[in-house]
C-alpha cells in the first residue's frame, strides 16, 4: 500500500533511538534519569482539588479555543510577565505546545511563496516537531546551525537572500533546547526586522521561559510590541509543562494576531483535540499563581550552582542561562551516552539525536544533553559520575 514519500526517511524519534542504543546493556549502577526533560518537582498543590471540584465536566465536550476563564487567566499572565495587553481573540489554548507548533504550519504556511516552494527556517539542533511540520505542508526545511559560533541561536540573517525570500515560517526556541541560550532584545529585534523585510512569520517556542538563572528572558511579544510590529507577524508558544511541572496535563497556548489565530482555531475545529474541561480549570488556576513557579525555579537555580561547581573546570562547559539542560562537549555523543550507561547507569541523550546533518556534519554529534530534572542529590551524583567517567 502506498505511503507518503515525505516521511519515508524520518529517523526514529530521539527516545526510541536512545532505547535501541542502551537497553540491550545492563546499567553499571543504580540508574539516574538525565535524558528526558520531564520535571520531577512537585505539582501545584491545588491540582487535585480543582479536578475533583470539576469532575462532572469530563462528561462534556471541551471548548475548542479555551474557556473564557482560561483565556482571561492567560491574558492576565501575559500582561504581568511581558507587559503586553492581548485580547482573547489573539489566543488559542493548546493540548500541549507540540500540537500548536505542528498545526501552525498546517494553518499558516502557504503552498507557494512567489511561485516557489516555501522554506521553513529551523535551528539545528532543534525540537523534532519543527521538521515534521515543514514536511507535512510540502515546504523545504532549512536547517541553520545554532552552535557556539552563533551564540547557540540560529543566525537567520546569514542566509542567502534567495532563501529568505522563500521563507514562510521561522522557528526559534528561546530559552533554547538543548543549549540553554536566550534570545535578547537585539536578537529579537534583528529577527523581526528580517521577517518584515522578507515577509515571513516568526514562531517563538518559549516553553522554558520560566526556568532561568538570574533574569527572566525577554519575550518576543514584548519586543514586537515595543517595535510596533504587526501582531500577525509573530506567534508565541507557551506551556505549563516546565513552568508548573505539569507535563502530563498537556496544556499550553499560542498568542498571535487575530487573523492567524482564527486560522488555527478553524483548523482545530476540524482536526484538533481540545483539553478536557476539568484540565482547563487546572490550567486557569496555574496561570494565575506564581508561588509554585518561584519555588520550582529556586530548585533549578540550586541545580545550576551544583552544575557549575561539579563541571566548572570541564573544557567547553557553558553554564546555561535558562532552561534545565546541559549541553556538554564530548568526542562522540553516542559513545559517551553508552559509556555512561554501561559504567554508571547514568542515562543521557546523544546530541546527534536532536540535530541533523544538513550537508556540513551533524552539529550535535560532539555533545550530550543532560537534563537537570532529578532532585539536587541525584543531580550532584549524576554530574559527578559524568565528570569522573568522561572528563578525568
Amino acid at each position: 500500500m502506498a505511503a507518503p514519500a515525505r516521511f519515508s526517511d524520518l529517523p526514529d524519534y530521539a527516545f526510541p533511538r536512545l532505547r535501541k542504543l542502551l537497553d540491550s546493556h545492563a546499567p553499571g549502577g543504580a540508574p539516574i534519569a538525565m535524558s528526558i526533560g520531564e520535571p520531577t518537582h512537585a505539582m501545584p498543590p491545588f491540582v487535585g482539588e480543582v479536578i475533583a471540584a470539576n469532575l462532572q465536566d469530563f462528561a462534556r465536550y471541551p471548548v475548542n479555543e479555551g474557556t473564557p476563564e482560561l483565556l482571561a487567566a492567560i491574558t492576565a499572565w501575559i500582561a504581568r510577565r511581558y507587559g503586553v495587553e492581548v485580547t482573547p481573540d489573539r489566543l488559542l489554548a493548546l493540548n500541549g505546545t507540540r500540537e500548536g507548533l505542528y498545526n501552525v504550519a498546517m494553518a499558516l504556511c502557504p503552498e507557494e511563496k512567489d511561485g516557489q516552494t516555501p522554506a521553513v527556517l529551523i535551528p539545528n539542533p532543534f525540537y523534532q516537531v519543527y521538521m515534521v511540520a515543514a514536511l507535512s505542508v510540502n515546504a523545504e526545511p532549512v536547517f541553520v546551525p545554532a552552535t557556539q559560533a552563533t551564540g547557540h541561536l540560529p543566525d537567520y540573517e546569514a542566509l542567502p537572500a534567495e532563501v529568505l525570500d522563500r521563507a514562510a515560517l521561522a522557528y526559534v526556541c528561546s530559552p533554547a533546547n538543548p543549549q540553554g541560550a536566550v534570545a535578547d532584545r537585539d536578537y529579537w529585534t534583528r529577527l523581526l526586522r528580517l521577517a518584515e523585510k522578507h515577509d515571513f512569520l516568526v514562531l517563538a517556542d518559549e516553553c522554558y521561559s520560566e526556568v532561568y538563572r538570574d533574569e527572566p528572558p525577554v519575550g518576543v511579544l514584548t519586543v514586537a510590541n515595543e517595535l510596533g510590529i504587526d501582531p500577525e507577524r509573530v506567534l508565541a508558544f507557551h506551556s505549563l509543562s516546565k513552568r508548573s511541572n505539569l507535563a502530563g496535563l498537556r496544556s499550553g497556548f499560542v498568542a498571535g494576531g487575530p487573523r492567524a489565530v482564527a486560522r488555527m482555531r478553524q483548523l482545530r475545529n476540524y482536526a484538533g483535540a481540545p483539553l478536557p474541561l476539568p484540565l482547563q480549570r487546572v490550567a486557569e488556576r496555574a496561570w494565575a499563581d506564581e508561588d509554585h513557579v518561584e519555588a520550582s525555579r529556586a530548585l533549578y537555580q540550586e541545580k545550576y550552582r551544583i552544575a557549575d561547581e561539579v563541571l566548572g573546570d570541564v573544557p567547553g562547559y557553558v553554564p546555561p542561562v535558562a532552561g534545565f539542560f546541559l549541553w556538554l562537549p564530548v568526542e562522540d555523543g553516542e559513545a559517551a551516552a553508552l559509556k555512561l550507561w554501561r559504567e554508571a547507569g547514568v542515562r543521557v541523550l546523544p546530541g546527534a539525536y536532536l540535530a541533523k546533518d544538513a550537508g556540513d556534519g551533524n552539529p550535535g554529534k560532539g555533545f550530550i544533553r543532560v537534563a537537570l530534572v532529578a532532585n539536587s542529590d541525584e543531580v550532584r551524583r549524576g554530574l559527578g559520575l559524568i565528570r569522573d567517567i568522561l572528563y578525568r
Side-chain angles (χ1 to χ4, degrees):
M1 193 164 96
R6 60 184 174 271
F7 300 132
S8 61
D9 62 348
L10 282 182
D12 284 344
Y13 199 66
F15 298 106
R17 289 179 74 181
L18 184 64
R19 290 193 290 271
K20 287 182 180 179
L21 177 69
L22 301 184
D23 285 1
S24 61
H25 304 273
I32 304 176
M34 306 185 86
S35 61
I36 189 168
E38 182 177 61
T40 62
H41 297 173
M43 295 186 301
F46 49 76
V47 172
E49 166 197 330
V50 174
I51 290 176
N54 294 276
L55 198 62
Q56 70 282 356
D57 285 339
F58 277 117
R60 299 171 55 201
Y61 283 120
V63 180
N64 179 65
E65 63 272 12
T67 65
E69 295 83 2
L70 174 55
L71 298 184
I74 293 169
T75 59
W77 181 77
I78 292 173
R80 291 195 310 273
R81 176 64 173 83
Y82 294 114
V84 178
E85 300 291 337
V86 300
T87 50
D89 63 331
R90 292 181 56 186
L91 297 173
L92 173 61
L94 299 173
N95 202 330
T97 48
R98 177 159 37 176
E99 176 210 357
L101 291 164
Y102 178 81
N103 281 330
V104 67
M106 302 295 289
L108 298 177
C109 187
E111 289 81 5
E112 293 184 344
K113 188 175 178 195
D114 297 330
Q116 301 180 79
T117 299
V120 175
L121 311 184
I122 298 173
N124 194 19
F126 59 97
Y127 186 25
Q128 308 297 292
V129 71
Y130 308 159
M131 175 180 70
V132 173
L135 295 175
S136 294
V137 295
N138 290 319
E140 178 193 352
V142 176
F143 299 98
V144 180
T147 63
Q148 186 174 3
T150 64
H152 291 295
L153 295 168
D155 182 7
Y156 292 145
E157 290 178 288
L159 290 170
E162 57 268 25
V163 174
L164 290 168
D165 287 339
R166 287 195 297 114
L169 311 174
Y171 286 98
V172 176
C173 185
S174 175
N177 170 16
Q179 309 97 320
V182 168
D184 60 16
R185 262 187 175 78
D186 179 65
Y187 182 92
W188 285 128
T189 297
R190 289 185 287 107
L191 179 59
L192 291 167
R193 294 304 189 200
L194 191 72
E196 287 185 317
K197 179 179 178 180
H198 294 278
D199 191 24
F200 59 81
L201 303 183
V202 173
L203 310 179
D205 179 358
E206 299 181 315
C207 71
Y208 294 90
S209 68
E210 304 314 287
V211 180
Y212 52 82
R213 184 181 289 256
D214 298 313
E215 297 295 327
V218 66
V220 71
L221 294 178
T222 300
V223 180
N225 186 63
E226 290 172 350
L227 296 175
I229 301 292
D230 183 353
E232 301 294 339
R233 178 77 57 198
V234 181
L235 294 106
F237 297 81
H238 286 267
S239 169
L240 292 175
S241 295
K242 280 71 178 177
R243 173 190 181 271
S244 298
N245 307 308
L246 288 170
L249 189 72
R250 310 312 306 138
S251 181
F253 71 84
V254 58
R259 293 193 303 278
V261 169
R263 288 181 177 273
M264 293 186 71
R265 287 184 176 190
Q266 183 182 34
L267 177 63
R268 199 167 195 249
N269 277 326
Y270 286 92
L275 195 68
L277 284 170
L279 304 189
Q280 292 198 40
R281 297 301 183 194
V282 173
E284 171 193 337
R285 181 80 174 268
W287 287 115
D289 181 78
E290 294 296 333
D291 289 344
H292 72 280
V293 183
E294 293 172 2
S296 182
R297 185 183 302 122
L299 295 176
Y300 284 120
Q301 289 170 339
E302 170 62 19
K303 287 184 272 193
Y304 291 146
R305 289 189 285 272
I306 292 170
D308 293 347
E309 176 188 333
V310 175
L311 300 174
D313 61 352
V314 168
Y317 169 71
V318 177
V321 177
F324 50 55
F325 295 117
L326 303 180
W327 189 235
L328 298 181
V330 293
E331 186 173 343
D332 179 274
E334 279 195 325
L338 184 57
K339 183 178 179 67
L340 288 170
W341 179 247
R342 294 178 65 179
E343 295 188 15
V346 178
R347 198 174 184 94
V348 302
L349 190 68
Y353 294 3
L354 299 168
K356 186 175 176 63
D357 185 342
D360 51 358
N362 186 313
K365 182 180 179 181
F367 292 88
I368 54 174
R369 191 188 75 173
V370 180
L372 305 179
V373 291
N375 64 53
S376 293
D377 289 342
E378 281 287 272
V379 165
R380 182 179 292 277
R381 184 167 78 90
L383 295 183
L385 289 166
I386 290 171
R387 176 199 60 205
D388 293 343
I389 291 170
L390 298 183
Y391 301 109
R392 286 189 176 173

